[in-house]
Amino acid sequence: MWIAHLSDLHLTADDQPLYGRVYTRSAFCLALERIAGLKRQPDLLLLTGDLANGADGRAYRFLQQQLIQLGLPFCLLPGNHDGRETMAEVFPGAFAGWQGRVGYLDLPEGRLLLLDTSVPGKEWGSVTKDEVARLEGLLQGPVLLAMHHPPFAVGIPGMDRIACRGEVQSLGQRLGQRGVEGLLCGHVHRHVSTCFHGIPAQVAPSPAHQIALDAGPLAYTLEPGGFLLHDWEPGRHLISHYLPVQAAPVHVYAE
């Protein structure tokens, strides 16, 4: 199956630019146009947090309208800039069946585990011992895990300081031993690819602004936005493609 993976939309309450220069609504719409134009449509749209900047209900309602227009099944996770209660008001089924901060979605190919790592009022995330045990109890058949905060360092000091904390090593050991096939994250505003306890791990970029790849003070850049497209076939390694939000002409090679 194909999973289109977007993260860190930072949608504003109206069409005003974030930081006075980042048009997050327009960037998100470009990403959806790119997805709608794919010859093969994704089977699922996964959004891994920081959907609304400031957790404003108007931003979530705009998101809802755009997702309805796209017409694909979708799955939402909150990030540190989101408000879970406001999300649930606009998307009543978003957390249906969850146990605390742990949920799952059963798909034809396997199970997508969902972990809400957000901590109210904090930029960093967390995972607890009980949540690791709960996730382990949900491992059944082929599994992917989605969460906002990466549980590993990405090499950007400012982002590594606000990564996921708590029982991250226990999480990796338990899931790695059980053969989880992929870990899908956000938060970093850059595409990062690595392995975490033997699990292929992918961090999705933002469709809007990116975090500068710099050892200096944490900063953002208006490098082109993008998203990921995961090709998941259980029993085979996860294949992930990066797509910029802006499409380009396609030229067929002459035979």
Side-chain angles (χ1 to χ4, degrees):
M1 70 178 298
W2 276 16
I3 301 174
H5 177 191
L6 282 79
S7 198
D8 299 274
L9 314 179
H10 287 270
L11 298 172
T12 51
D14 50 30
D15 204 25
Q16 292 301 307
L18 186 65
Y19 311 131
R21 66 183 71 185
V22 184
Y23 289 87
T24 57
R25 286 194 174 197
S26 298
F28 176 55
C29 289
L30 275 176
L32 296 189
E33 288 176 15
R34 183 79 200 271
I35 291 170
L38 294 173
K39 291 183 178 180
R40 173 180 167 181
Q41 285 294 281
D43 302 287
L44 178 71
L45 183 64
L46 171 66
L47 299 103
T48 52
D50 280 2
L51 309 180
N53 202 71
D56 193 294
R58 291 170 293 176
Y60 292 122
R61 285 190 286 274
F62 173 79
L63 172 63
Q64 181 188 51
Q65 292 167 0
Q66 299 305 311
L67 294 178
I68 290 172
Q69 290 180 19
L70 183 65
L72 292 177
F74 61 86
C75 179
L76 309 177
L77 274 173
N80 49 289
H81 286 271
D82 288 307
R84 181 167 169 149
E85 291 184 1
T86 310
M87 282 181 65
E89 290 173 3
V90 179
F91 298 95
F95 305 109
W98 283 51
Q99 298 179 21
R101 300 195 304 168
V102 174
Y104 67 91
L105 179 64
D106 280 333
L107 304 166
E109 283 73 10
R111 175 167 285 181
L112 176 62
L113 294 180
L114 306 166
L115 175 62
D116 174 7
T117 55
S118 62
V119 179
K122 304 295 183 182
E123 291 187 301
W124 44 266
S126 75
V127 57
T128 67
K129 183 177 180 180
D130 287 345
E131 288 163 349
V132 172
R134 196 167 294 151
L135 287 166
E136 188 175 24
L138 291 171
L139 295 177
Q140 178 179 317
V143 169
L144 299 176
L145 170 62
M147 54 197 292
H148 178 67
H149 297 83
F152 47 81
V154 297
I156 302 173
M159 295 307 298
D160 290 338
R161 284 193 290 270
I162 56 173
C164 192
R165 303 179 182 179
E167 299 294 324
V168 293
Q169 296 308 316
S170 175
L171 173 72
Q173 291 166 3
R174 301 278 189 92
L175 301 187
Q177 290 169 358
R178 297 288 297 274
V180 170
E181 298 190 353
L183 174 59
L184 312 177
C185 306
H187 189 53
V188 181
H189 289 241
R190 293 199 76 83
H191 178 210
V192 180
S193 178
T194 187
C195 278
F196 179 62
H197 289 269
I199 305 169
Q202 297 285 338
V203 179
S206 168
H209 55 301
Q210 311 306 303
I211 293 295
L213 187 59
D214 197 333
L218 192 62
Y220 71 90
T221 172
L222 297 182
E223 291 174 358
F227 60 95
L228 300 182
L229 187 63
H230 305 295
D231 183 354
W232 185 32
E233 182 180 315
R236 184 205 67 190
H237 63 278
L238 182 68
I239 298 173
S240 299
H241 298 272
Y242 166 82
L243 282 78
V245 296
Q246 188 69 56
V250 175
H251 304 281
V252 178
Y253 286 106
E255 294 185 0

